[in-house]
Amino acid sequence: MQIVKNTTILFDPLKFSPATALSDDEIVRRVYAKQPYTLYGKGTIAEYIIMKGDKQSQFMGLPTYVQQVVAEEKVSNGLLGVYVKQVLLNKKHEPSKGISASFKSYYYPTEIDTAGTFHLTHDISRDFYLLSSRQGYAMLLPSMPNVGDKLKCGTIADNSKNLFGGTVKLKAEYTDFYVDGTETVTTPAGTFNCIRLKGKVFEDNSAYKVNYQYTWWLARGVGFVKYEIINVDGKDAKVPTTILLNKLERQ
């Protein structure tokens, strides 16, 4: 497996506590014990269904289902690195036509300290691309967030190819994210106790600029359970795109 080496994650030394004095096995054990709000566990598959309004996404061959697969885990510099690849499927659960269904050349990294704190370096809607490099992070998510907390946000900058092979330079600036509340969310994969995050994303991919309103529901040990995007600038701004956890498989 090849992991892109020029990924840059910007750590905040005041927030992260790398446990360099511990063994790799102990670091993994402590991270797992904290159950951070992200996906982990090699071989774990979180599958999502993409909805436009109350209908499955079927537009221009875009995927109906998205699988995030934990392809690798390794400890480096006192942090647990979790590398997730994304697989795109159509409504028949077959590889989506006209796009690369399995992104084998890039893995989306999350590095977690033993307190369960991490920088979110990928989010589902950003990852329908074949990346050659990624820099930055969306936000810092502490292990014990409280309702009302404002989150430290950043910018994800990608060099990539789009679904149809064109070269794209994409920036997504995350702002004003905060912990809006807690909520029990029922999905096809089960019922989860979640934190609910709200915030704004400004996307600039050279071809267009657009503002989004995001709402995310995240559960411990799973990460995204429900994900809602509203295009603030679009004519269909009242019709959200929703990404909902469809099934969860662990080895």
Side-chain angles (χ1 to χ4, degrees), residues 7 11 39 81 119-120 140 157 195 201 223 236 246:
T7 299
F11 290 114
L39 199 64
H119 277 127
L120 182 64
L140 180 81
I195 57 169
V201 175
D236 62 346
N246 192 50

Side-chain angles (χ1 to χ4, degrees), residues 139 149-151 153 175-181 183 195-200 213-218 228:
M139 69 190 61
D149 282 355
K150 295 181 180 180
L151 301 178
C153 298
T175 60
D176 300 329
F177 271 82
Y178 67 99
V179 183
D180 179 56
E183 186 176 343
I195 57 169
R196 185 176 60 247
L197 309 182
K198 288 191 175 182
K200 301 174 184 177
Q213 179 69 50
Y214 278 30
T215 306
W216 291 344
W217 292 259
L218 294 94
E228 185 178 272

Side-chain angles (χ1 to χ4, degrees), residues 112-142:
I112 316 167
D113 72 6
T114 53
T117 298
F118 65 95
H119 277 127
L120 182 64
T121 60
H122 57 95
D123 87 57
I124 300 168
S125 73
R126 301 262 74 79
D127 298 337
F128 295 170
Y129 296 87
L130 289 166
L131 300 185
S132 56
S133 68
R134 167 164 286 177
Q135 293 185 327
Y137 63 93
M139 69 190 61
L140 180 81
L141 194 59

Side-chain angles (χ1 to χ4, degrees), residues 53-230:
D54 59 356
K55 297 181 180 179
Q56 292 183 3
S57 172
Q58 300 176 25
F59 176 69
M60 290 181 63
L62 294 181
T64 297
Y65 298 97
V66 181
Q67 290 183 350
Q68 291 201 329
V69 182
V70 180
E72 188 60 85
E73 287 188 335
K74 65 177 182 178
V75 174
S76 180
N77 298 321
L79 302 168
L80 174 63
V82 177
Y83 297 86
V84 175
K85 71 175 181 179
Q86 190 146 288
V87 180
L88 310 180
L89 305 172
N90 64 21
K91 63 179 180 179
K92 296 180 180 179
H93 265 94
E94 299 170 344
S96 297
K97 296 179 180 179
I99 60 177
S100 177
S102 180
F103 293 171
K104 297 179 180 179
S105 62
Y106 192 89
Y107 292 80
Y108 306 97
T110 299
E111 296 188 75
I112 316 167
D113 72 6
T114 53
T117 298
F118 65 95
H119 277 127
L120 182 64
T121 60
H122 57 95
D123 87 57
I124 300 168
S125 73
R126 301 262 74 79
D127 298 337
F128 295 170
Y129 296 87
L130 289 166
L131 300 185
S132 56
S133 68
R134 167 164 286 177
Q135 293 185 327
Y137 63 93
M139 69 190 61
L140 180 81
L141 194 59
S143 175
M144 299 294 291
N146 297 306
V147 175
D149 282 355
K150 295 181 180 180
L151 301 178
K152 181 176 179 178
C153 298
T155 298
I156 289 177
D158 294 338
N159 291 326
S160 62
K161 291 186 177 181
N162 61 20
L163 302 177
F164 309 103
T167 299
V168 176
K169 288 185 177 294
L170 176 67
K171 284 188 177 181
E173 181 181 358
Y174 295 73
T175 60
D176 300 329
F177 271 82
Y178 67 99
V179 183
D180 179 56
T182 60
E183 186 176 343
T184 300
V185 178
T186 298
T187 76
T191 299
F192 301 88
N193 295 322
C194 299
I195 57 169
R196 185 176 60 247
L197 309 182
K198 288 191 175 182
K200 301 174 184 177
V201 175
F202 172 69
E203 180 179 310
D204 180 356
N205 76 350
S206 301
Y208 62 85
K209 297 177 174 65
V210 63
N211 290 285
Y212 294 101
Q213 179 69 50
Y214 278 30
T215 306
W216 291 344
W217 292 259
L218 294 94
R220 289 196 178 277
V222 181
F224 291 110
V225 168
K226 183 179 177 182
Y227 178 118
E228 185 178 272
I229 315 166
I230 295 176

